[in-house]
Amino acid sequence: MTLYLMTFFLFLVGLYGATTKRDIIKIILAIGIMGYSVNLFLILIAYRSGAIYPILTKSLGKELMVDPLPQALVLTAIVIELGITALLASLAIRIFEKYKTFDITQVRRLKG
Amino acid sequence: MITPYFVIIPLFAAFLIALIARKKENIAAGIALIVGIILCIMSIYSFVLLSGNEGAIYYHFSNWKAPITISLVLDYLSSFMLIIISVISLIAIFYSLQYLNHYTGKWQFFALFMLMITGMNGVALTGDFFNLFVFIEISLFSAYSLVAFGCEAEELEAAFKYAIVGAISSTLILFSVGILYSITSSLNMADVGRLLLNEKSKVIYLVYGMMIVGFGLKSALVPFHAWLPDAHPSAPAPISSMLSGVLIKVLGIYALIRVFFNVFGAPQIFLQIILILGIISMVVGGLMSLMQWDIKRLLGFSTVSQVGYIFLGIGLGTPLGILGAIFHLLNHSIFKALLFMNAGAVEYALDTRDMKQMGGLSKKLPITSTTSMIGSLSISGIPPFNGFFSKLIIIIACIQAGHPIYAGWAILISIITLAYYLKMQRFTFYGKQNFKKIFEKVPFTLKTSMIILAGLCVISSVLIIPGIKEVTLDKVTEVILDKTKYIEYIKPLILGGR
Amino acid sequence: MPVEIWLHFILGFMIIGAIAALEIKDVLSAIIAVGIVGLGLSVAFLFLQAPDLALVQFVFEILCMIILIRAFTHRKEHKIDLKSNVVLVAIAVVILSVVFVLGIFAFKELPSFGKPIARIAERYLTKGPQETGSANIVTSIILDYRAYDTLGEITVLFTSILGAFTILRVIGRKQRR
Amino acid sequence: MNEEKGMTIIVKTITRFTVWLIFLYGLYIIIHGHLTPGGGFAGGVIISLSFVHLTLAYGKDFFLKRHKISTLHNIEAGGALAFVIIGILGIAWTGSFLANFISTGKLFTLKSAGVIPLLNIAIGAKAGTALYLVFYYLVTHRSFIQKSESEGEIK
């Protein structure tokens, strides 16, 4: 329970960074932190006390293993996170070229 | 079994374009056009096919049975969304054949377009929560790149804002999927719906909240709408019409309907929230549109307002309200695509989007002017066109459900809609001529696409005639309201093998 | 020591690292701080019996750090002593604290740590190796039972690379006449 | 760090030995994905890291003298296409997309698990080249575009 709450807290730290920071690089890092916390949460809910990793080896008999499904999901989620980082980084580089700044409050030709 | 091909064909096309058509732009365009036609035929055929299959076709991947693997569910609602996606995207592909003359990187455009269709088709078909998340990401990633396609400063800025908002909302959705997995130990939507029937924990409200915020951000409900008026106008015109016409509907509205009606069983708290937010977005979007001078920004805010109508219909929760919402969803995708294409044609001819520098275009661009008039009249709800009927149904549904005040708001905003579209017509196509010269005539494919969509504005009103309504729109409404049928099919297969 | 205590320790470390990354003024230090959070995550995966993920997270973190450092730190003009808007920070802190308090009530209802329901998991664990022939059950899930997700995953990667390539074109529009 | 010429002679000499180790480790991870931890994606990232290593040590032009960037693009799209084609072959054999249509073989041997190793190799080829391409475009953005414009690669 406290572990879940700490993960949730990490998620909210990331959300705080993504909504309030002015620096584009900080926003990208904050999005990354949110991704980490979700991945950790998915693996936390998969853990079974006293269980081992879900890979058979010849020497092992029938032992309790952790839930493998969330691990498969997190593998996909990590790749997606890498994709969004790459895309955001390339957008940030182009924005820097055009505006000569990483300050989101000065990147403001649009009024929305 | 045609179900998986809706994803496989555009995906294959995208990879093929990236492999063989990198230097040959005409081949890329040709592949995209062929795929568009194939998907269009397949989606209409799928709707016909359903009547012989008791209204639902299930497909399981990798030769396993449902909760173990991912299942695709093709029912009337999915098929309806597939038709909207493929028809609008076919017209948008045709439109962009000549619209892209002024852009570089055609093959990237068509490859990303194919990936966007892949993502949306995947979302419309999937019956699995995590798979929903993956396909949302595919279509969003291509949407970010296509918004920034012109590589101008404003476009990059809009794409960055869109990407940040999209990343936050996707992370929220993934978190809520994790919580759902923890309390049910399943990812299949039907299975989760079945297990939640006798689940009374409070954590489900956290899931509701996260899902409403997550999908609300994608469908631009009002407290979460700030990205839309930047992102949609910045894209090239065919992409604007895809984003406003189809993407927000599939990723936002369709996903919300599927998750909350078919899986969670339309909880009352959800309906209340959606109803209130829908009315707020209707009003705010309408009032903001009145103040715009950029023609595409005006259309962007108008989208916020019309999405509010759709959510008003859904939030009522009655069969009539949902019928109106579904019909308005279809109509809005047609006329908003048309209006964005008109704006694109004007931009193509004049190289500006400022309405103060236009005026008197009706003589120079007669087809654009006429079709734009049809689109404007449809969206503001003038009788012979489709927008009138869907708005009328929503208003009647409001009164029937005992909310005459909401009906009043809907009528008021409808008048405001007429006002700002008349303003758009007055300053763009009629009145004093303010532009210096027309750079270029509107090319053939642009004209043709606009004429087809204008025709559809009239034709789609046919769907409401008794007799046709029963076999089309009513079937879709039934799927939304019938939770038991959606979750039923999973029962005999629990933990089955091959 | 039991796993829980180690995990509390690592998570605390990650939270501190995350806050540091968001508040540090220097770009390079901020990126490295996030890198440390990611490596902490990798260690946490090891404790939670997910060696696949620990490996992927580890190499992913290295690649991400290289990309971010090379992309952002050689821009000399960039200064990062930006103050956030005080009102915005106050609003965000209030809203997020409310969400956190609501979260305390909600997370109580989840199955407690170490005791998941694992309904479908049993099926994968007992029959997976025989049915797919793969000793690594995570691999058998991502490439056999749920291979469609993996197709989606490589498509996401493909899209983001194509998108980055599209965005990094220098000239987006041809000159108008 | 000089982008054009790379690092000092010491770094270059050590790189010459280590880069092969990294590359082979990545290959091992990909091929043994169904037996040990790791798989196509992890191995692909490691392979791309070996390319990144080369680029950092020798400067960005070193790698491209040997392999044209379009080859990497072809491998990337080809890997993705191979995944889809294996899936479609599943339809042809068993009637279900992405089905495991090769016999699963004996557990714990390299030649087991049907199509899983093939899919791992496809993912590895795709991820390895794709991630290197991302690194390459982001880091050498400006000069790459100018160079390829003069060669007429981007119109």
Side-chain angles (χ1 to χ4, degrees), chain B residues 378-397:
Chain B
S378 309
I379 199 169
S380 12
I382 303 295
F385 300 109
N386 54 10
F388 169 73
F389 298 105
S390 50
K391 283 191 183 176
L392 188 68
I393 295 172
I394 292 176
I395 290 165
I396 293 173

Side-chain angles (χ1 to χ4, degrees), chain B residues 333-477:
Chain B
S333 59
I334 293 171
F335 45 63
K336 191 46 66 67
L338 172 61
L339 287 164
F340 266 117
M341 285 181 186
N342 292 141
V346 171
E347 196 189 349
Y348 190 95
L350 291 188
D351 212 12
T352 178
R353 284 176 5 200
D354 190 355
M355 282 199 271
K356 287 172 185 160
Q357 294 175 25
M358 297 175 188
L361 276 170
S362 63
K363 291 193 192 73
K364 306 269 181 187
L365 308 172
I367 292 175
T368 311
S369 161
T370 319
T371 50
S372 171
M373 192 51 141
I374 293 174
S376 305
L377 293 178
S378 309
I379 199 169
S380 12
I382 303 295
F385 300 109
N386 54 10
F388 169 73
F389 298 105
S390 50
K391 283 191 183 176
L392 188 68
I393 295 172
I394 292 176
I395 290 165
I396 293 173
C398 279
I399 296 168
Q400 213 180 44
H403 299 299
I405 300 166
Y406 298 162
W409 278 112
I411 294 169
L412 181 69
I413 298 303
S414 182
I415 294 165
I416 289 178
T417 311
L418 184 62
Y420 61 76
Y421 277 103
L422 285 182
K423 169 191 157 189
M424 188 189 98
Q425 292 293 328
R426 156 79 178 70
F427 282 97
T428 313
F429 296 110
Y430 301 97
K432 201 161 68 64
Q433 178 175 335
N434 287 324
F435 61 91
K436 295 199 178 63
K437 63 161 185 165
I438 291 194
F439 284 99
E440 202 165 343
K441 284 215 168 102
V442 179
F444 167 72
T445 63
L446 276 69
K447 282 185 195 163
T448 322
S449 323
M450 290 188 290
I451 292 172
I452 294 171
L453 279 173
L456 283 178
C457 276
V458 184
I459 294 169
S460 65
S461 349
V462 169
L463 289 178
I464 206 66
I465 295 173
I468 301 178
K469 181 169 83 92
E470 275 75 25
V471 292
T472 52
L473 293 176
D474 279 358
K475 298 271 189 192
V476 181
T477 318

